[in-house]
Coordinates of all heavy atoms in Angstrom, one line a residue:
M13 N -25.2 33.5 -56.7 CA -26.1 32.5 -56.1 C -27.4 32.6 -56.9 O -27.9 33.7 -57.2 CB -26.3 32.8 -54.7 CG -27.2 31.8 -54.0 SD -27.5 32.3 -52.2 CE -26.3 31.2 -51.5
S14 N -28.0 31.5 -57.3 CA -29.2 31.5 -58.0 C -30.4 31.8 -57.2 O -30.4 31.4 -56.0 CB -29.3 30.1 -58.7 OG -30.5 30.0 -59.4
K15 N -31.4 32.4 -57.8 CA -32.6 32.7 -57.0 C -33.5 31.5 -56.9 O -33.6 30.7 -57.8 CB -33.3 33.8 -57.8 CG -34.5 34.3 -57.0 CD -35.2 35.5 -57.7 CE -36.4 35.8 -56.9 NZ -37.0 37.1 -57.3
L16 N -34.0 31.3 -55.7 CA -34.9 30.1 -55.4 C -36.3 30.4 -56.0 O -36.8 31.5 -55.8 CB -35.0 29.9 -53.9 CG -33.8 29.2 -53.3 CD1 -34.1 29.2 -51.8 CD2 -33.7 27.8 -53.7
P17 N -36.8 29.4 -56.7 CA -38.2 29.6 -57.2 C -39.2 29.4 -56.1 O -38.9 28.7 -55.1 CB -38.3 28.5 -58.3 CG -37.4 27.5 -57.8 CD -36.3 28.2 -57.1
Q18 N -40.4 29.9 -56.2 CA -41.5 29.6 -55.3 C -42.2 28.3 -55.8 O -42.8 28.4 -56.8 CB -42.4 30.7 -55.1 CG -41.9 31.9 -54.3 CD -43.0 32.9 -54.0 OE1 -44.0 32.9 -54.6 NE2 -42.7 33.7 -52.9
I19 N -42.1 27.2 -55.1 CA -42.7 26.0 -55.5 C -43.5 25.4 -54.3 O -43.3 25.8 -53.2 CB -41.6 25.0 -56.0 CG1 -40.6 24.6 -54.9 CG2 -40.9 25.5 -57.2 CD1 -39.7 23.5 -55.2
S20 N -44.3 24.4 -54.7 CA -45.1 23.7 -53.7 C -44.3 22.5 -53.1 O -43.3 22.1 -53.7 CB -46.4 23.2 -54.3 OG -46.1 22.2 -55.2
G21 N -44.8 21.9 -52.1 CA -44.1 20.8 -51.5 C -44.2 19.6 -52.5 O -43.2 18.8 -52.6
R22 N -45.3 19.4 -53.2 CA -45.4 18.3 -54.2 C -44.4 18.5 -55.3 O -43.9 17.5 -55.7 CB -46.8 18.3 -54.7 CG -47.9 17.9 -53.7 CD -47.9 16.4 -53.5 NE -48.8 16.1 -52.5 CZ -48.9 14.9 -52.0 NH1 -48.2 13.9 -52.4 NH2 -49.8 14.7 -51.0
T23 N -44.2 19.7 -55.7 CA -43.2 19.9 -56.8 C -41.8 19.6 -56.3 O -41.0 19.0 -57.0 CB -43.3 21.4 -57.3 OG1 -44.6 21.7 -57.6 CG2 -42.4 21.6 -58.4
C24 N -41.5 19.9 -55.1 CA -40.2 19.6 -54.5 C -40.0 18.1 -54.4 O -39.0 17.6 -54.7 CB -40.1 20.3 -53.1 SG -38.6 20.0 -52.3
V25 N -41.1 17.4 -54.0 CA -41.0 15.9 -53.9 C -40.7 15.3 -55.2 O -39.9 14.4 -55.4 CB -42.3 15.4 -53.2 CG1 -42.3 13.9 -53.3 CG2 -42.4 15.8 -51.7
S26 N -41.4 15.8 -56.3 CA -41.2 15.2 -57.6 C -39.9 15.5 -58.1 O -39.3 14.7 -58.8 CB -42.3 15.7 -58.5 OG -42.2 17.1 -58.8
A27 N -39.3 16.7 -57.8 CA -37.9 17.0 -58.2 C -36.9 16.1 -57.5 O -36.0 15.6 -58.1 CB -37.6 18.5 -58.0
L28 N -37.1 15.9 -56.2 CA -36.2 15.0 -55.5 C -36.3 13.5 -55.9 O -35.4 12.8 -55.7 CB -36.4 15.2 -54.0 CG -36.0 16.5 -53.4 CD1 -36.5 16.7 -52.0 CD2 -34.5 16.8 -53.5
N29 N -37.5 13.1 -56.4 CA -37.6 11.8 -56.9 C -36.6 11.5 -58.1 O -36.2 10.4 -58.3 CB -39.0 11.5 -57.4 CG -40.0 11.2 -56.3 OD1 -39.6 10.8 -55.2 ND2 -41.3 11.5 -56.5
K30 N -36.3 12.5 -58.8 CA -35.4 12.4 -60.0 C -34.0 12.1 -59.6 O -33.2 11.6 -60.4 CB -35.5 13.6 -60.8 CG -36.8 13.9 -61.5 CD -36.8 15.2 -62.2 CE -38.2 15.5 -62.7 NZ -38.3 16.8 -63.4
V31 N -33.6 12.4 -58.3 CA -32.2 12.1 -57.9 C -32.2 11.0 -56.9 O -31.2 10.8 -56.1 CB -31.6 13.4 -57.3 CG1 -31.3 14.4 -58.3 CG2 -32.4 13.9 -56.2
G32 N -33.2 10.1 -56.9 CA -33.1 8.9 -56.1 C -33.9 8.9 -54.8 O -33.9 7.9 -54.1
F33 N -34.6 10.0 -54.4 CA -35.4 10.0 -53.2 C -36.7 9.3 -53.5 O -37.3 9.4 -54.6 CB -35.6 11.4 -52.7 CG -34.4 12.0 -52.0 CD1 -33.4 12.7 -52.7 CD2 -34.2 11.8 -50.7 CE1 -32.3 13.2 -52.1 CE2 -33.1 12.3 -50.0 CZ -32.1 13.0 -50.7
Y34 N -37.3 8.7 -52.5 CA -38.6 8.1 -52.6 C -39.4 8.4 -51.3 O -38.8 8.7 -50.3 CB -38.6 6.6 -52.9 CG -37.8 5.8 -51.8 CD1 -38.5 5.2 -50.8 CD2 -36.5 5.5 -51.9 CE1 -37.9 4.4 -49.8 CE2 -35.8 4.8 -51.0 CZ -36.5 4.2 -49.9 OH -35.9 3.5 -48.9
V35 N -40.7 8.4 -51.4 CA -41.5 8.7 -50.3 C -41.5 7.5 -49.3 O -41.9 6.4 -49.7 CB -43.0 9.0 -50.7 CG1 -43.9 9.2 -49.5 CG2 -43.0 10.2 -51.6
R36 N -41.0 7.7 -48.1 CA -41.0 6.7 -47.1 C -42.3 6.6 -46.3 O -42.8 5.5 -46.1 CB -39.8 7.0 -46.1 CG -39.6 6.1 -45.0 CD -39.1 4.8 -45.5 NE -39.0 3.9 -44.3 CZ -38.1 3.1 -44.1 NH1 -37.1 3.0 -45.0 NH2 -38.0 2.3 -43.1
R37 N -42.8 7.8 -45.9 CA -44.1 7.8 -45.2 C -44.6 9.3 -45.2 O -43.8 10.2 -45.5 CB -44.0 7.3 -43.8 CG -43.1 8.1 -42.9 CD -43.0 7.5 -41.5 NE -42.2 8.3 -40.6 CZ -40.9 8.2 -40.5 NH1 -40.2 7.3 -41.1 NH2 -40.2 9.0 -39.6
Q38 N -45.8 9.4 -44.8 CA -46.4 10.8 -44.6 C -47.3 10.8 -43.4 O -48.1 9.9 -43.2 CB -47.2 11.2 -45.9 CG -47.8 12.5 -45.8 CD -48.4 13.0 -47.0 OE1 -48.3 12.4 -48.1 NE2 -49.1 14.1 -47.0
R39 N -47.1 11.8 -42.6 CA -48.0 12.0 -41.5 C -48.5 13.5 -41.5 O -47.7 14.4 -41.4 CB -47.3 11.7 -40.2 CG -48.2 11.9 -39.0 CD -47.6 11.3 -37.8 NE -48.6 11.4 -36.7 CZ -48.4 10.9 -35.5 NH1 -47.3 10.2 -35.2 NH2 -49.4 11.0 -34.6
G40 N -49.8 13.6 -41.8 CA -50.3 15.0 -41.9 C -49.7 15.6 -43.1 O -49.8 15.1 -44.2
S41 N -49.1 16.8 -42.9 CA -48.6 17.5 -44.1 C -47.1 17.4 -44.3 O -46.5 18.1 -45.0 CB -48.9 19.0 -44.0 OG -48.2 19.6 -42.9
H42 N -46.5 16.4 -43.5 CA -45.1 16.2 -43.6 C -44.8 14.9 -44.4 O -45.2 13.8 -43.9 CB -44.4 16.2 -42.2 CG -44.5 17.5 -41.6 ND1 -45.5 18.0 -40.9 CD2 -43.5 18.5 -41.5 CE1 -45.3 19.2 -40.5 NE2 -44.0 19.6 -40.8
V43 N -44.0 15.0 -45.5 CA -43.7 13.9 -46.3 C -42.2 13.6 -46.0 O -41.3 14.4 -46.1 CB -43.8 14.2 -47.8 CG1 -43.5 13.0 -48.6 CG2 -45.2 14.6 -48.1
V44 N -41.9 12.3 -45.6 CA -40.6 11.9 -45.3 C -40.0 11.2 -46.5 O -40.6 10.2 -47.0 CB -40.5 11.0 -44.0 CG1 -39.1 10.5 -43.8 CG2 -41.1 11.7 -42.8
L45 N -38.9 11.7 -47.0 CA -38.3 11.1 -48.2 C -37.0 10.5 -47.8 O -36.3 10.9 -46.8 CB -37.9 12.2 -49.2 CG -39.1 13.0 -49.8 CD1 -38.6 14.1 -50.6 CD2 -40.0 12.1 -50.6
R46 N -36.6 9.4 -48.5 CA -35.4 8.7 -48.2 C -34.6 8.3 -49.5 O -35.2 8.1 -50.5 CB -35.7 7.4 -47.4 CG -34.5 6.7 -46.9 CD -34.9 5.6 -46.0 NE -33.8 4.8 -45.7 CZ -33.8 3.7 -45.0 NH1 -35.0 3.2 -44.5 NH2 -32.7 3.0 -44.7
R47 N -33.3 8.3 -49.3 CA -32.4 7.9 -50.4 C -31.5 6.9 -49.8 O -30.9 7.2 -48.7 CB -31.7 9.0 -51.0 CG -30.7 8.6 -52.1 CD -30.0 9.8 -52.7 NE -29.2 10.4 -51.7 CZ -28.7 11.7 -51.7 NH1 -29.0 12.4 -52.8 NH2 -28.0 12.1 -50.8
D48 N -31.3 5.7 -50.4 CA -30.5 4.7 -49.8 C -29.0 4.8 -50.0 O -28.2 4.5 -49.2 CB -31.0 3.3 -50.3 CG -32.4 3.0 -49.8 OD1 -32.7 3.4 -48.6 OD2 -33.1 2.3 -50.5
D49 N -28.6 5.2 -51.3 CA -27.2 5.3 -51.6 C -26.8 6.6 -52.3 O -27.2 6.7 -53.4 CB -26.8 4.1 -52.4 CG -25.3 4.0 -52.6 OD1 -24.5 4.4 -51.7 OD2 -24.8 3.5 -53.7
P50 N -26.1 7.5 -51.6 CA -25.8 7.6 -50.2 C -27.0 7.9 -49.4 O -27.9 8.6 -49.8 CB -24.7 8.7 -50.2 CG -25.1 9.6 -51.3 CD -25.7 8.7 -52.4
Y51 N -27.0 7.4 -48.1 CA -28.1 7.5 -47.3 C -28.4 8.9 -46.9 O -27.5 9.7 -46.6 CB -27.9 6.7 -46.0 CG -29.0 6.8 -45.0 CD1 -30.2 6.1 -45.2 CD2 -29.0 7.8 -44.0 CE1 -31.2 6.2 -44.3 CE2 -30.1 7.9 -43.1 CZ -31.2 7.1 -43.3 OH -32.3 7.2 -42.5
A52 N -29.7 9.3 -47.1 CA -30.1 10.6 -46.7 C -31.6 10.5 -46.5 O -32.3 9.8 -47.1 CB -29.9 11.6 -47.8
Q53 N -32.1 11.2 -45.4 CA -33.5 11.3 -45.1 C -33.9 12.7 -44.8 O -33.2 13.4 -44.1 CB -33.8 10.4 -43.9 CG -35.3 10.3 -43.6 CD -35.6 9.1 -42.7 OE1 -35.2 8.0 -42.9 NE2 -36.3 9.5 -41.6
L54 N -35.0 13.2 -45.4 CA -35.4 14.5 -45.2 C -36.9 14.6 -45.2 O -37.6 13.8 -45.7 CB -34.8 15.5 -46.2 CG -34.8 15.1 -47.7 CD1 -36.0 15.7 -48.3 CD2 -33.5 15.6 -48.3
V55 N -37.4 15.7 -44.6 CA -38.8 16.0 -44.5 C -39.2 17.2 -45.3 O -38.5 18.2 -45.2 CB -39.1 16.2 -43.0 CG1 -40.6 16.5 -42.8 CG2 -38.7 15.1 -42.1
V56 N -40.2 17.0 -46.1 CA -40.7 18.1 -47.0 C -42.2 18.4 -46.5 O -43.0 17.5 -46.6 CB -40.7 17.7 -48.5 CG1 -41.3 18.8 -49.3 CG2 -39.3 17.4 -48.9
P57 N -42.5 19.6 -46.1 CA -43.8 19.9 -45.8 C -44.7 20.1 -47.0 O -44.2 20.6 -48.0 CB -43.7 21.3 -45.0 CG -42.4 21.8 -45.3 CD -41.5 20.7 -45.8
D58 N -45.8 19.5 -47.0 CA -46.7 19.5 -48.2 C -47.6 20.8 -48.2 O -48.8 20.7 -48.0 CB -47.6 18.2 -48.2 CG -48.4 18.1 -49.5 OD1 -48.1 18.7 -50.5 OD2 -49.4 17.3 -49.5
H59 N -46.9 21.9 -48.4 CA -47.6 23.2 -48.4 C -47.7 23.7 -49.8 O -47.0 23.2 -50.7 CB -46.8 24.2 -47.6 CG -46.7 23.8 -46.1 ND1 -45.8 24.4 -45.3 CD2 -47.4 22.9 -45.4 CE1 -46.0 23.9 -44.1 NE2 -46.9 23.0 -44.1
N60 N -48.6 24.7 -50.0 CA -48.8 25.2 -51.4 C -47.6 26.0 -51.8 O -47.2 25.9 -53.0 CB -50.0 26.2 -51.4 CG -51.3 25.4 -51.3 OD1 -51.4 24.2 -51.6 ND2 -52.3 26.1 -50.7
V61 N -46.9 26.7 -50.9 CA -45.7 27.4 -51.2 C -44.7 27.2 -50.1 O -45.1 27.5 -48.9 CB -45.9 29.0 -51.4 CG1 -44.6 29.7 -51.6 CG2 -46.9 29.2 -52.5
L62 N -43.5 26.7 -50.4 CA -42.5 26.5 -49.4 C -41.8 27.8 -49.1 O -41.5 28.5 -50.0 CB -41.5 25.4 -49.8 CG -42.0 24.0 -50.0 CD1 -40.9 23.1 -50.5 CD2 -42.5 23.5 -48.6
D63 N -41.5 28.1 -47.8 CA -40.6 29.2 -47.5 C -39.3 29.1 -48.1 O -38.8 27.9 -48.2 CB -40.5 29.4 -46.0 CG -41.8 29.8 -45.3 OD1 -42.7 30.4 -46.0 OD2 -42.0 29.5 -44.1
R64 N -38.6 30.2 -48.3 CA -37.3 30.1 -49.0 C -36.3 29.4 -48.1 O -35.5 28.6 -48.5 CB -36.8 31.5 -49.3 CG -37.4 32.1 -50.5 CD -36.8 33.5 -50.8 NE -37.0 34.3 -49.6 CZ -37.2 35.6 -49.6 NH1 -37.2 36.2 -50.7 NH2 -37.3 36.2 -48.4
G65 N -36.3 29.7 -46.8 CA -35.4 29.1 -45.8 C -35.6 27.6 -45.7 O -34.6 26.8 -45.7
T66 N -36.8 27.2 -45.7 CA -37.2 25.8 -45.7 C -36.7 25.1 -46.9 O -36.1 24.0 -46.9 CB -38.7 25.6 -45.5 OG1 -39.1 26.3 -44.3 CG2 -39.0 24.1 -45.4
L67 N -36.9 25.7 -48.1 CA -36.5 25.1 -49.4 C -35.0 25.0 -49.4 O -34.4 24.0 -49.9 CB -37.1 25.8 -50.5 CG -36.7 25.3 -51.9 CD1 -37.2 23.9 -52.1 CD2 -37.3 26.2 -53.0
R68 N -34.3 26.0 -49.0 CA -32.8 26.0 -49.0 C -32.3 24.9 -48.1 O -31.3 24.2 -48.4 CB -32.3 27.4 -48.6 CG -30.8 27.6 -48.9 CD -30.4 29.0 -48.6 NE -31.0 30.0 -49.5 CZ -30.7 30.2 -50.8 NH1 -29.7 29.5 -51.3 NH2 -31.3 31.1 -51.5
A69 N -32.9 24.7 -46.9 CA -32.5 23.7 -46.0 C -32.7 22.3 -46.6 O -31.9 21.4 -46.5 CB -33.2 23.8 -44.7
I70 N -33.8 22.1 -47.3 CA -34.1 20.8 -48.0 C -33.1 20.5 -49.0 O -32.5 19.4 -49.1 CB -35.5 20.8 -48.5 CG1 -36.6 20.8 -47.4 CG2 -35.7 19.6 -49.5 CD1 -38.0 21.1 -47.9
I71 N -32.7 21.5 -49.8 CA -31.7 21.4 -50.9 C -30.4 21.0 -50.3 O -29.7 20.2 -50.8 CB -31.7 22.6 -51.8 CG1 -33.0 22.8 -52.5 CG2 -30.5 22.6 -52.7 CD1 -33.1 24.2 -53.2
R72 N -30.0 21.7 -49.2 CA -28.7 21.4 -48.6 C -28.7 20.0 -48.0 O -27.7 19.3 -48.1 CB -28.5 22.5 -47.5 CG -27.1 22.4 -46.9 CD -26.9 23.4 -45.8 NE -27.6 24.7 -45.8 CZ -28.6 25.0 -45.0 NH1 -29.0 24.2 -44.0 NH2 -29.2 26.1 -45.1
Q73 N -29.8 19.6 -47.4 CA -29.8 18.2 -46.8 C -29.8 17.2 -47.9 O -29.3 16.1 -47.6 CB -31.1 18.1 -45.9 CG -31.0 18.9 -44.7 CD -32.4 18.8 -44.0 OE1 -33.3 18.1 -44.3 NE2 -32.5 19.7 -42.9
A74 N -30.3 17.5 -49.1 CA -30.2 16.5 -50.2 C -28.9 16.4 -50.8 O -28.6 15.6 -51.7 CB -31.3 16.9 -51.2
G75 N -28.0 17.4 -50.5 CA -26.6 17.4 -51.0 C -26.6 18.0 -52.4 O -25.7 17.6 -53.2
L76 N -27.5 18.9 -52.7 CA -27.6 19.5 -54.0 C -27.2 21.0 -53.9 O -27.3 21.6 -52.9 CB -29.0 19.4 -54.6 CG -29.5 18.0 -54.9 CD1 -31.0 18.0 -55.2 CD2 -28.7 17.2 -55.9
S77 N -26.8 21.6 -55.0 CA -26.7 23.0 -55.1 C -28.1 23.6 -55.6 O -28.9 22.8 -56.1 CB -25.6 23.4 -56.0 OG -25.9 23.1 -57.4
V78 N -28.2 24.9 -55.5 CA -29.5 25.5 -55.9 C -29.6 25.3 -57.4 O -30.7 25.0 -57.9 CB -29.5 27.0 -55.5 CG1 -30.7 27.7 -56.1 CG2 -29.5 27.1 -54.0
E79 N -28.5 25.5 -58.1 CA -28.6 25.4 -59.6 C -29.0 23.9 -60.0 O -29.7 23.8 -60.9 CB -27.2 25.7 -60.2 CG -26.9 27.2 -60.1 CD -26.3 27.6 -58.7 OE1 -25.9 26.7 -58.0 OE2 -26.3 28.8 -58.4
E80 N -28.4 22.9 -59.3 CA -28.8 21.6 -59.7 C -30.2 21.3 -59.4 O -30.9 20.6 -60.2 CB -27.9 20.6 -58.8 CG -26.5 20.6 -59.2 CD -25.6 19.8 -58.2 OE1 -26.0 19.6 -57.0 OE2 -24.6 19.3 -58.6
F81 N -30.7 21.8 -58.3 CA -32.1 21.6 -57.9 C -33.1 22.3 -59.0 O -34.1 21.8 -59.4 CB -32.4 22.2 -56.5 CG -33.8 22.0 -56.1 CD1 -34.3 20.7 -55.7 CD2 -34.8 23.0 -56.1 CE1 -35.6 20.5 -55.3 CE2 -36.1 22.8 -55.7 CZ -36.5 21.5 -55.3
V82 N -32.7 23.5 -59.4 CA -33.5 24.3 -60.3 C -33.6 23.5 -61.7 O -34.6 23.4 -62.4 CB -33.0 25.7 -60.5 CG1 -33.7 26.4 -61.7 CG2 -33.2 26.5 -59.2
D83 N -32.4 22.9 -62.0 CA -32.4 22.1 -63.3 C -33.4 20.9 -63.2 O -33.9 20.4 -64.2 CB -31.0 21.6 -63.6 CG -30.1 22.7 -64.0 OD1 -30.6 23.8 -64.4 OD2 -28.9 22.6 -63.9
L84 N -33.6 20.3 -62.0 CA -34.5 19.2 -61.8 C -36.0 19.6 -62.0 O -36.8 18.7 -62.3 CB -34.3 18.6 -60.4 CG -33.0 17.9 -60.2 CD1 -32.9 17.5 -58.7 CD2 -32.8 16.7 -61.1
L85 N -36.3 20.9 -61.8 CA -37.6 21.3 -62.0 C -38.0 21.3 -63.4 O -39.0 21.0 -63.9 CB -37.8 22.7 -61.4 CG -37.6 22.8 -59.9 CD1 -37.6 24.3 -59.5 CD2 -38.5 22.0 -59.1

């Protein structure tokens, strides 16, 4: 299993943009991303450093592996 990097919420959003997600809306520090085909919606907290468990859950909800996500960075 690949080691998760410590990244910010903004970096995570920009990496997910590369696989078809776009910013749907933002309220406070929570950015809601959406992908239409196949449909997926997820929430990324706009923090300076994302917790490992939170980042792993975001990657899983996006339908990516850790290695695929690290390649997007």
Side-chain angles (χ1 to χ4, degrees):
M13 184 182 262
S14 178
K15 185 173 177 171
L16 284 173
Q18 285 192 340
I19 61 171
S20 67
R22 292 283 173 186
T23 306
C24 181
V25 169
S26 66
L28 290 171
N29 281 335
K30 296 176 185 176
V31 290
F33 283 92
Y34 60 91
V35 176
R36 177 71 184 221
R37 65 180 182 269
Q38 179 174 354
R39 181 168 184 174
S41 66
H42 290 83
V43 180
V44 178
L45 299 172
R46 184 171 174 186
R47 179 180 63 198
D48 292 327
D49 189 31
Y51 179 80
Q53 184 167 308
L54 47 95
V55 178
V56 177
D58 187 18
H59 296 165
N60 290 334
V61 177
L62 293 176
D63 290 335
R64 283 183 305 212
T66 304
L67 181 57
R68 192 172 298 279
I70 290 168
I71 294 170
R72 189 179 331 109
Q73 290 171 9
L76 300 171
S77 69
V78 174
E79 291 81 15
E80 291 171 336
F81 183 77
V82 170
D83 289 341
L84 294 173
L85 297 174

